[in-house]
Every structure is written in structure tokens, then in C-alpha cells.
Amino acid sequence: MSAQEAIEHFLHGQIECWNNGDKEGFFEHYRQMSPAGLSIEYVGRALPTDPWQILEGMWENQQPRFRVEVKETIINGEEAACHHRNALRDGSGGIETIELYRFQNGRLWVRYFIKA
């Protein structure tokens, strides 16, 4: 699998797992793409520094409430930018996000921009 294909597989696969409630699959996508380390940042917010703790918190607090709708995905080399709508599962609205991903030497950096 080429680097481009691996990035596409990660981006689409983690969303599919999220939407289907497949926690193990969701985490496995992150583990596969970050054998040398993972960094997650919610831009403008102070969070715990352990990225796995951040993902656990996302899963516990947000996965039951939100379904991710992919609006746009752009991959350039080792980086990707995604525009997602995090739609409330009850249909009452949603939150727009821009997510930036950098894949380099077995490390994954993620930055989430959340529209207030």
C-alpha cells in the first residue's frame, strides 16, 4: 500500500468505525498510523497531554452523540486536511470542524479546529 493509500485508508476507516460504534477498529486505525508516536491538539483548548486519553474521552463523551459527515478531504504528500460536520445523532444540529493530519516517520500529529 502506498503512503497515499495508507492515509486514505486511515482517514476513511476511522470515520467509518466512529459512525458504526466500532471502538476497537477506531483505535486500531490510530495505532497503525502512529507506531512512533501520536500527538493530538484541540486548537485553542488546554487538554490532557496523553493522546490516547484524549481519544478515550472523545469516544466516551462524543461518539454516542455525534455522527461524522465528511464534507471535504484533501491529501497532499504526508498531510491531510478534512472538513467534517459532526451531526448530532438526534438530528438537532451539528458542529463544523477542520482537522489537520501530518503523517511522518511513523508519527501522527492531529490538530482539531472546532467552529464555536
Side-chain angles (χ1 to χ4, degrees), residues 6-100:
I7 291 170
E8 288 175 357
H9 177 76
F10 166 78
L11 293 172
H12 298 301
Q14 58 118 358
I15 295 296
E16 183 177 323
C17 289
W18 177 275
N19 287 339
N20 292 329
D22 178 1
K23 182 178 179 181
E24 183 56 38
F26 178 79
F27 277 82
E28 184 58 28
H29 277 87
Y30 278 87
R31 282 191 291 271
Q32 287 178 0
M33 294 305 285
S34 63
L38 174 63
S39 172
I40 297 177
E41 175 188 3
Y42 277 81
V43 176
R45 297 183 184 179
L47 285 176
T49 57
D50 179 346
W52 300 105
Q53 183 181 0
I54 293 169
L55 286 178
E56 281 287 349
M58 276 177 40
W59 188 271
E60 272 186 44
N61 299 317
Q62 306 303 327
Q63 194 283 331
R65 298 175 53 220
F66 291 97
R67 174 177 174 77
V68 177
E69 298 171 356
V70 177
K71 298 296 188 180
E72 186 71 50
T73 300
I74 301 168
I75 301 170
N76 285 326
E78 297 178 322
E79 297 190 51
C82 303
H83 172 201
H84 293 157
R85 176 164 171 54
N86 297 274
L88 285 160
R89 292 183 188 269
D90 68 8
S92 66
I95 299 168
E96 302 292 324
T97 62
I98 301 292
E99 303 177 8
L100 303 179

